[in-house]
Amino acid sequence: MEPDLFTAAAEERQEKDPTGSPLAVRMRPRTLDEVVGQQHLLKPGSPLRRLVGEGAGSPAGPSSVVLWGPPGTGKTTLAYVVSKATNKRFVELSAITAGVKEVRAVIDGARRAIGGFGKETVLFLDEIHRFSKAQQDSLLPAVENRWVTLIAATTENPYFSVISPLLSRSLLLTLEPLTDDDLRGLLRRALTDERGLDSAVGLPEDTENHLLRIAGGDARRALTALEAAAGAALDKGETEIVLTTLEETVDRAAVKYDRDGDQHYDVASALIKSIRGSDVDAALHYLARMVEAGEDPRFIARRLMIAASEDIGLADPNALPIAVAAAQAVAMIGFPEAALTLSHATIALALAPKSNSATTAIGAAMEDVRGGLAGPVPPHLRDGHYKGAAKLGHAQGYVYPHDLPEGIAAQQYAPDALQEREYYTPTRHGAEARYADAVEWTRKHLGRKRS
């Protein structure tokens, strides 16, 4: 929304009495030089520096940008700095509460401002991934004609959540999670700065380290936890935030996981790849993140069933039954007990011998079928149970393998064009060594030529 007399008055009161605002708000940087982390985005000549007016007079105007990063990495902070540093008209909207009507009102105001007063407009749109395609479409003319310079913020992968035409008209800037050193500097500044705690309380090293752990790279969470713990310490008459006070104040660490966003798929992918790589500890870590975030246990179980066939296969034929049993169990019991069942299955799959031979075998066979390499079924293999089949020569000459001593009949099975194709290439990992011996023996007795 645009600043009004009430907003200005509220900001003035906050400046006079900063304790009326949360610590995270009070400690927001006022200039780009105060921003912690994201130094890759703050170099001279960067799009963000051009947005705050650096390089004014250049024939190349500032570009609209999409800021993508996890919560607490500074997306809103960067927009706030732009609003304070630029003499442009600054308007803020949230996609949670705004719609096409509000967007069009901003665009109409921007056109009047630039036409009547030559004043450019910067529009900060938070949570743009919550806008529908139609709502995002309403931004295109304004961004295309630079009636507004857009700063859009999102925690979700913009390639999934932002329409391509809007991305092509903007620069995508990726914010990285803050490092422990970034957060440590921010916490120490908040402890001593007059806008912050003004040296009212100290922070021992062990408490600081625990605070960094529970923050999980999120500056807002770090400052929120610091403020809560500082308040608890001061209420007790303590001059330092001891570790036990912090632990009493903050129950658990942040879970960097969004069940509705791209992290849902990233963490699931990491779980499967850790199982595939036989790193049981990493697999359990990703499983724990999914469990703590409240992921649907049936989704996890489905991924484990896929991994059992895709990555383990015949190297451990028990892997799939274990995964299926886990899926049936979690469907009946749910969380929290389902975590134990999922842990059971994850450990078993991670430590199982691995083979993707079943995956590559069906992939190669399907590739031939899609490529047109098929041909008619050999006559002796065709169905002979209906009237007239014998006259057509169907099922004539078929040799029943169970009638032979070795239980294998050397006759043509594949269509003519595929007689020498070999799709299954077994490994000798785990139990699949037995299948490797079996396939070698059967191909020999079928009279197949080696390719």
Side-chain angles (χ1 to χ4, degrees), residues 360-433:
T360 57
I362 189 61
M366 291 172 67
E367 184 177 354
D368 275 353
V369 171
R370 292 182 187 126
L373 191 59
V377 174
H380 60 282
L381 298 185
R382 297 179 191 178
D383 182 17
H385 290 88
Y386 61 92
K387 187 176 180 181
K391 291 181 179 180
L392 295 173
H394 293 184
Q396 301 302 300
Y398 171 68
V399 180
Y400 190 54
H402 295 296
D403 290 338
L404 302 179
E406 292 184 323
I408 187 167
Q411 58 189 338
Q412 180 179 347
Y413 291 95
D416 292 343
L418 295 161
Q419 281 198 77
E420 303 304 323
R421 303 292 276 195
E422 294 182 359
Y423 297 118
Y424 178 46
T425 305
T427 70
R428 290 197 170 272
H429 302 162
E432 196 171 24

Side-chain angles (χ1 to χ4, degrees), residues 252 255 257 259 267 271 284-297 300 335-340 342-343 346:
R252 61 175 62 186
V255 178
Y257 186 91
R259 284 185 295 160
V267 176
L271 169 66
L284 286 168
H285 165 76
Y286 292 117
L287 174 63
R289 283 172 66 168
M290 299 172 86
V291 170
E292 280 294 301
E295 178 61 82
D296 185 344
I300 304 173
F335 282 144
E337 292 84 355
L340 307 178
L342 293 170
S343 173
T346 297

